Amino acid sequence: MTNKRLVVCMLICFAACAAHCNGQSIRLTRYASRTSVSLDLNRVYNYNCYERNRWGLGLDLLQPLRYDSRYGRSFQNLFTASVYGAYGTGDKAWKYGTALGLAFPRAVFRSVALRYQHDLLRVGSHGFEGYKVFNTSDNSSYFSSRFCAGDFAGALLQLDITGPGFLMVEYSLSRERYLFDASGPLFPSICDDDAKPYLYYNEVGFDLFWGEHWKLGVLANIVPSDDDATPHADNGLFAPDYVRLLAQYSNKIKLKNNHGQLSLFAQGGIVTEGAPVSRRFDLGGTGGGKYYFNNTFLTVRPNTFMAEIFSLASIRYTTGKGLWKNNFSEPHPFVQLNAMWGVHHGENHTIGTLDVNGTPMVFTAPSQGLMEPCIGIDKLLRWGMLDMGVAAACQLTPKNSAYHLDNFFDIFAVMCVAKLVFE
């Protein structure tokens, strides 16, 4: 992401904060009104290496079904609706979507909803958290360039379960086509020859959220028991059968007596053989960029790794007290260690060859592991609502691995640490 694009994103955040904000939205109706219409700030601007600048508009509606004065605003049964539209300056294509639902915050069945989207799907995504315009350091998706385009329809149900958790269940139908092949990105909205056949999916997903730290996702493609065909492209059949499992743990632990903070992050996942490329795990990082992003690999370039079984972990310690403190600087040194491992099914765990749009593509997995130590200083300079610092990271891999790099400048990165601060 270039300096200019990051500045654009931050200027939007600053302008939004001047209005009456609530989290990631701006309420457009009077606060005293029981009906709430809000502008979704996350829809206003985004960036990735395929769409480039993505501009849009999103609106959310909350309408009490029957206002019950015995409960507060947060515990009313609601009709919910959302709609959005967006346009990418890179692919010159429109995206849009809508969702309608009912929310029952006092019941076991917390909410039900129907959704439809004509949009992009990031290939190999393994994150539970979505894009947030304010949290720029969490948006490593800025470096994404591999997407599918298509139509997605689904029915969602949220259930409250025993303990501090809830379960999200979704049944979805989709048709998707890859927007890349071995030669690079494809732009069917610009060039008709880039339009590839659609693939069809019929999936059910379960996402379990336990407290603030644990997340578990299961995705399975449904195939009729009397149909053993292995479909490909738009022949009206279902995609091959597969199951995808993803688990995540994240936590921030403040040490006593202002001795600093530990940030922990770990993921692991597996997808069965026969899964399409889009449902496997993209382990590419943000190497080559000039900015520090959380929970990603800072020296690994995008699209470097993909795996069917993987694990990764990150631990970061940030000092509690700054080296000094004044109005424009309160530097906090930090140290970090990232590590990952991943393999393909089959005899060759490192190299996987998969068909994408009729062309074989080679995908490398970090089968012998990769480590990435990092050091930096956070909050070195305060400029308005922006805290800035600096960080450096280095990539360590076994010398006999297929992905080992000998050039020092390919495995070393110096980055700017930039965070928005709202006080």
Side-chain angles (χ1 to χ4, degrees):
M1 193 179 185
T2 66
N3 295 356
K4 182 178 179 181
R5 294 187 180 106
L6 187 65
V7 170
V8 169
C9 188
M10 290 178 175
L11 286 175
I12 293 171
C13 296
F14 297 157
C17 291
H20 175 61
C21 292
N22 180 17
Q24 303 288 322
S25 64
I26 299 177
R27 186 182 175 108
L28 303 179
T29 52
R30 293 181 300 109
Y31 185 77
S33 174
R34 294 175 179 177
T35 299
S36 170
V37 178
S38 301
L39 173 67
D40 186 349
L41 295 177
N42 294 325
R43 301 289 187 184
V44 174
Y45 179 79
N46 199 348
Y47 175 86
N48 59 67
C49 292
Y50 181 81
E51 295 176 281
R52 300 295 175 177
N53 297 293
R54 173 174 168 141
W55 298 95
L57 180 67
L59 296 174
D60 297 321
L61 167 70
L62 299 177
Q63 173 63 52
L65 297 176
R66 182 179 179 183
Y67 197 87
D68 192 331
S69 58
R70 295 176 299 173
Y71 305 99
R73 288 176 178 267
S74 301
F75 296 95
Q76 298 296 321
N77 295 334
L78 300 170
F79 168 74
T80 65
S82 64
V83 62
Y84 75 90
Y87 180 80
T89 61
D91 61 344
K92 301 187 185 304
W94 288 96
K95 297 90 182 177
Y96 47 86
T98 187
L100 302 174
L102 299 172
F104 307 101
R106 306 188 306 275
V108 174
F109 292 92
R110 288 294 183 90
S111 64
V112 294
L114 298 174
R115 72 176 180 100
Y116 169 76
Q117 292 177 301
H118 175 79
D119 211 328
L120 303 186
L121 171 72
R122 182 183 171 191
V123 168
S125 175
H126 51 90
F128 286 93
E129 294 80 15
Y131 166 80
K132 293 184 179 180
V133 67
F134 291 147
N135 299 338
T136 53
S137 58
D138 288 337
N139 297 329
S140 59
S141 59
Y142 290 144
F143 286 76
S144 302
S145 62
R146 290 177 175 173
F147 290 87
C148 290
D151 298 280
F152 310 86
L156 298 88
L157 173 65
Q158 179 180 331
L159 297 92
D160 189 16
I161 57 179
T162 303
F166 65 91
L167 179 68
M168 295 287 294
V169 182
E170 179 176 15
Y171 171 72
S172 63
L173 294 169
S174 65
R175 63 169 194 166
E176 307 166 19
R177 60 184 177 191
Y178 292 113
L179 296 176
F180 68 97
D181 60 14
S183 63
L186 302 174
F187 295 92
S189 55
I190 299 174
C191 177
D192 292 339
D193 292 339
D194 282 352
K196 301 300 181 181
Y198 282 104
L199 299 171
Y200 291 82
Y201 303 97
N202 183 0
E203 297 173 318
V204 59
F206 302 87
D207 287 337
L208 174 63
F209 298 83
W210 191 260
E212 298 179 358
H213 310 305
W214 292 96
K215 298 176 177 65
L216 176 67
V218 180
L219 182 69
N221 193 63
I222 301 173
V223 178
S225 59
D226 59 348
D227 187 354
D228 295 326
T230 303
H232 185 75
D234 56 345
N235 52 12
L237 298 176
F238 295 106
D241 188 23
Y242 58 84
V243 177
R244 187 181 197 258
L245 176 67
L246 177 65
Q248 175 179 299
Y249 172 79
S250 61
N251 198 0
K252 292 184 178 180
I253 303 172
K254 289 188 176 181
L255 304 181
K256 294 181 179 180
N257 301 320
N258 199 24
H259 284 163
Q261 177 176 277
L262 281 176
S263 298
L264 307 175
F265 182 82
Q267 278 190 338
I270 181 172
V271 61
T272 56
E273 292 188 73
V277 175
S278 59
R279 270 51 170 186
R280 304 189 184 203
F281 303 105
D282 180 5
L283 302 181
T286 59
K290 297 181 177 64
Y291 300 97
Y292 173 94
F293 291 93
N294 295 323
N295 304 329
T296 188
F297 286 79
L298 307 165
T299 63
V300 177
R301 291 186 175 272
N303 306 326
T304 298
F305 296 122
M306 178 167 280
E308 294 161 290
I309 306 172
F310 86 100
S311 61
L312 60 83
S314 175
I315 181 171
R316 168 175 162 163
Y317 169 74
T318 305
T319 60
K321 295 182 179 179
L323 298 179
W324 59 78
K325 184 176 182 180
N326 53 47
N327 292 334
F328 56 87
S329 179
E330 186 184 351
H332 290 255
F334 68 86
V335 293
Q336 178 175 291
L337 180 63
N338 297 335
M340 73 170 162
W341 167 89
V343 296
H344 292 291
H345 292 300
E347 296 181 2
N348 192 335
H349 294 319
T350 304
I351 303 297
T353 303
L354 302 173
D355 182 276
V356 179
N357 290 327
T359 304
M361 289 187 64
V362 174
F363 296 93
T364 304
S367 59
Q368 294 179 256
L370 181 150
M371 297 184 68
E372 185 185 75
C374 175
I375 59 173
I377 300 178
D378 199 4
K379 301 181 180 180
L380 183 61
L381 178 65
R382 168 70 65 86
W383 180 51
M385 291 189 295
L386 187 64
D387 274 343
M388 294 183 290
V390 65
C394 183
Q395 182 183 137
L396 304 177
T397 56
K399 288 188 177 180
N400 63 342
S401 63
Y403 46 89
H404 177 73
L405 300 172
D406 291 318
N407 190 330
F408 175 76
F409 294 101
D410 290 334
I411 61 173
F412 183 75
V414 177
M415 299 145 290
C416 170
V417 180
K419 295 181 181 179
L420 289 168
V421 180
F422 305 104
E423 295 179 345

